[in-house]
Amino acid sequence: MKKFVIVGLGLIGGSMALALRGFEDHTIVGVDVSQPTLRFARERGVCDRVTEDAGEAIEGADVVMLAIHPQGILDFLKAYRDRFKPGCLVTDVCGVKSAIMEGAECLPEGVDFIGGHPMAGTEFSGIQHAFAEMFQGSHLILTPRETSTQAHIALMERLAAHIGCRDVVKTTPAEHDAILAYTSQMMHIIAVSVCDDENLFTCKGFEGSSFRGCTRVAALDVGLWTQLFSLNAPALTACLDTLIGHLQNYRKVIASGDREALAEKLTFSSGRKRQMDLPGPDLLH
Amino acid sequence: MKKFVIVGLGLIGGSMALALRGFEDHTIVGVDVSQPTLRFARERGVCDRVTEDAGEAIEGADVVMLAIHPQGILDFLKAYRDRFKPGCLVTDVCGVKSAIMEGAECLPEGVDFIGGHPMAGTEFSGIQHAFAEMFQGSHLILTPRETSTQAHIALMERLAAHIGCRDVVKTTPAEHDAILAYTSQMMHIIAVSVCDDENLFTCKGFEGSSFRGCTRVAALDVGLWTQLFSLNAPALTACLDTLIGHLQNYRKVIASGDREALAEKLTFSSGRKRQMDLPGPDLLH
């Protein structure tokens, strides 16, 4: 049996443990610092084994997946750098990659690191919200090192297939971070900004699916997103400037009363969306 | 048998016809100007009867529901004002109410008008996308006149129950329009503005459910939304100014690098969202 360690049994780590059941010949070992989380995981059989001792867990581990907050990953890599066995594959699940890949430079030669980011999640956090189907139909983004072995990349691809991902997308940390600023972080800033409107509570009973869709992610995990936004501030603020400019352009043409110009702008934007042809949201509730 | 006429068999009118099947003792008559739409409706049995002759259809009708674009409703009311039978209830389904209620002032005494707005829809249009379950779990907003009869209001409430609405919310046209600018129209402006970003096509393969949720409605019906935005321009531009201000506040604190201040802002906004406690999006795809 091989040993697959998941450090952090929160929403993503817990769901990963559930989704990884039966993944080849791996024993899944879960690590967490929270006693209630460990108890929950033990009682529900989320992993094959759980422990609060990270050092003991990663000893002899073949794969270690860090499913903790970005700053926690950086701290963990530094603290446990000498505890991984040679040939071990270390990976993570977090939404910034440049900072993490740089942090992973501290690992000794012979310990591989492939950045991972499963494009899945909900607005909740904690193991009690974890579910095995979390990753079904989602993209798994990988940022391998130039030196990452083919065997390790292939392992991550089989993992993606096992947990139900739609596909695997390989990219660079910088490209990942620029695109994630736009596709994910900015969506969260929009959601919280919409909720800052003083009319929020008045609108209850009037909100349609577009409002629920846009604001769904506003009930975010403050600690996590503070780190994600901060670790990616330059890309994120650039995206926000672009968005604000586009909003101001729409505001201007609506205020002008020029219906023809408004229709032309809407034709342009909606055409882009149709060309993009994204599948509908695969929300679970 | 009573006669229930739906003028306009598009996405909403077609779905309404399907959802109204078996509603008490009404024969459902569908009116449209498009031959392909009439043929589709006839072949699929969307209504009990279809016709392109609106004048003939509304003759002797007990209820006439106008499911056409806002400007079309205003034009229809003016053109057919003398063809409704005394005691007839006229209603509509469109997303602006002040302009419609004012337009309905042209109806003769004895013809009632109750503004209606079922808070449902998809990003598609046309009868081929209509489905009977469209209104399930949604709100039906009504803006009755002061002189609307209790019998007519009660009829609309039974209609809401029959098509599966979660509830009926009665309000004034002005309040409806202010709140809809925020909860619906602004969501559409956000969606198209996000799609104007030059990185849109690069992001394919990276987008998560928050991006799909936020941009879902960007592939909008240009003619319809040009009218809705234009007929509600003052309320909508005011909302956009507020949003832009809130986005700029977030941009500022992210750029400052002050993680504590950012966490504080996120705690505030996400707390508002949790307090709002909206159910998740009831999207169908």
Side-chain angles (χ1 to χ4, degrees):
Chain A
M1 289 297 274
K2 286 184 173 166
K3 190 175 179 185
F4 194 119
V5 177
I6 300 174
V7 178
L9 294 174
L11 179 71
I12 301 296
S15 297
M16 190 61 80
L18 292 167
L20 278 175
R21 273 181 186 164
F23 178 50
E24 301 176 353
D25 55 344
H26 291 94
T27 301
I28 310 293
V29 180
V31 179
D32 209 283
V33 293
S34 151
Q35 289 305 323
T37 296
L38 291 171
R39 199 177 317 124
F40 187 99
R42 201 174 289 122
E43 283 169 4
R44 311 286 176 111
V46 170
C47 314
D48 296 314
R49 188 163 71 78
V50 297
T51 173
E52 59 185 319
D53 186 344
E56 175 261 322
I58 67 179
E59 197 176 304
D62 299 280
V63 186
V64 177
M65 177 179 279
L66 304 176
I68 49 185
H69 284 193
Q71 191 58 52
I73 294 174
L74 298 173
D75 298 344
F76 190 95
L77 288 168
K78 213 179 287 178
Y80 291 92
R81 45 168 297 178
D82 298 319
R83 307 288 290 272
F84 300 98
K85 82 167 182 188
C88 177
L89 167 62
V90 186
T91 182
D92 76 316
V93 298
C94 96
V96 289
K97 295 269 75 80
S98 301
I100 299 297
M101 296 304 288
E102 280 161 32
E105 291 297 322
C106 75
L107 293 172
E109 209 175 334
V111 176
D112 198 0
F113 190 92
I114 298 181
H117 183 194
M119 297 291 294
T122 71
E123 66 276 34
F124 303 108
S125 58
I127 196 170
Q128 68 276 22
H129 295 295
F131 55 99
E133 300 77 18
M134 166 80 78
F135 310 101
Q136 278 180 14
S138 65
H139 310 288
L140 176 63
I141 306 180
L142 295 182
T143 58
R145 290 173 168 174
E146 289 206 9
T147 58
S148 290
T149 67
Q150 278 310 312
H152 283 158
I153 293 174
L155 175 73
M156 289 304 290
E157 286 172 342
R158 295 197 308 277
L159 177 149
H162 187 84
I163 66 176
C165 289
R166 182 192 310 173
D167 53 22
V168 168
V169 183
K170 284 178 220 120
T171 186
T172 63
E175 195 189 21
H176 170 278
D177 287 355
I179 293 182
L180 264 286
Y182 171 52
T183 57
S184 169
Q185 297 180 351
M186 191 169 83
M187 299 305 116
H188 289 74
I189 297 292
I190 291 171
V192 289
S193 296
V194 166
C195 288
D196 279 356
D197 193 296
E198 59 177 13
N199 284 315
L200 178 68
F201 299 114
T202 322
C203 92
K204 207 163 175 175
F206 293 82
E207 80 292 344
S209 63
S210 62
F211 191 84
R212 292 197 289 276
C214 176
T215 60
R216 181 181 63 96
V217 293
L220 43 69
D221 178 332
V222 172
L224 170 62
W225 288 94
T226 298
Q227 292 182 20
L228 291 172
F229 296 148
S230 301
L231 287 168
N232 205 20
L236 178 55
T237 52
C239 283
L240 284 172
D241 289 340
T242 303
L243 173 70
I244 289 168
H246 290 308
L247 287 169
Q248 278 165 335
N249 291 341
Y250 264 109
R251 189 226 179 276
K252 209 163 107 183
V253 70
I254 291 165
S256 78
D258 184 344
R259 287 196 192 188
E260 220 167 291
L262 175 58
E264 204 172 294
K265 263 187 83 59
L266 289 172
T267 302
F268 173 79
S269 309
S270 62
R272 287 173 64 81
K273 169 65 181 176
R274 284 195 187 88
Q275 192 183 335
M276 180 69 175
D277 192 27
L278 288 179
D282 46 8
L283 305 173
L284 286 141
H285 42 90
Chain B
M1 291 296 274
K2 287 185 172 165
K3 192 176 181 185
F4 194 118
V5 178
I6 300 174
V7 178
L9 293 174
L11 179 71
I12 302 296
S15 296
M16 190 60 80
L18 292 167
L20 277 174
R21 273 181 186 164
F23 178 50
E24 300 178 353
D25 54 345
H26 291 93
T27 302
I28 310 292
V29 180
V31 179
D32 209 283
V33 293
S34 150
Q35 288 304 323
T37 295
L38 290 171
R39 200 177 316 123
F40 186 99
R42 201 176 288 122
E43 283 169 4
R44 310 286 176 112
V46 171
C47 314
D48 296 313
R49 189 162 71 79
V50 297
T51 175
E52 58 184 322
D53 187 343
E56 176 261 320
I58 67 177
E59 198 177 304
D62 299 280
V63 186
V64 177
M65 176 180 279
L66 304 175
I68 48 184
H69 285 194
Q71 191 58 52
I73 294 174
L74 297 173
D75 298 344
F76 191 95
L77 288 168
K78 214 180 285 179
Y80 291 92
R81 45 168 294 179
D82 297 321
R83 308 287 291 270
F84 299 98
K85 84 168 183 189
C88 177
L89 167 62
V90 186
T91 181
D92 77 316
V93 298
C94 96
V96 289
K97 294 268 75 82
S98 300
I100 299 297
M101 296 304 288
E102 280 162 31
E105 291 295 323
C106 76
L107 293 172
E109 209 176 335
V111 177
D112 198 0
F113 189 93
I114 298 180
H117 184 195
M119 297 292 295
T122 72
E123 65 277 35
F124 303 109
S125 59
I127 195 168
Q128 67 276 21
H129 295 294
F131 54 99
E133 300 75 21
M134 166 80 79
F135 310 102
Q136 278 179 14
S138 66
H139 308 289
L140 176 62
I141 305 180
L142 296 181
T143 57
R145 289 173 168 174
E146 288 208 8
T147 58
S148 290
T149 67
Q150 277 311 311
H152 284 157
I153 293 173
L155 175 73
M156 292 302 292
E157 287 172 342
R158 295 198 307 276
L159 176 151
H162 187 83
I163 65 177
C165 290
R166 182 191 308 172
D167 54 22
V168 168
V169 183
K170 283 176 222 123
T171 185
T172 64
E175 195 191 22
H176 170 277
D177 288 356
I179 293 181
L180 264 286
Y182 170 53
T183 57
S184 169
Q185 298 181 348
M186 192 169 83
M187 299 305 116
H188 289 75
I189 297 292
I190 291 171
V192 289
S193 296
V194 166
C195 288
D196 279 356
D197 193 296
E198 60 177 14
N199 285 315
L200 178 69
F201 300 114
T202 322
C203 91
K204 209 164 171 171
F206 293 83
E207 80 292 343
S209 63
S210 63
F211 191 83
R212 293 197 290 277
C214 177
T215 60
R216 181 182 63 96
V217 293
L220 43 69
D221 177 333
V222 172
L224 170 63
W225 286 95
T226 299
Q227 291 182 21
L228 290 172
F229 296 149
S230 302
L231 287 167
N232 205 20
L236 178 54
T237 52
C239 283
L240 284 171
D241 288 340
T242 303
L243 174 69
I244 289 167
H246 290 308
L247 287 169
Q248 278 165 335
N249 291 342
Y250 264 109
R251 188 224 180 280
K252 210 163 105 184
V253 72
I254 290 165
S256 78
D258 184 343
R259 286 198 193 188
E260 218 167 291
L262 175 56
E264 204 172 295
K265 263 187 82 61
L266 289 172
T267 302
F268 172 79
S269 309
S270 62
R272 286 173 64 82
K273 169 66 179 173
R274 285 195 187 87
Q275 191 182 337
M276 180 69 174
D277 192 28
L278 287 179
D282 45 7
L283 305 172
L284 287 142
H285 43 90

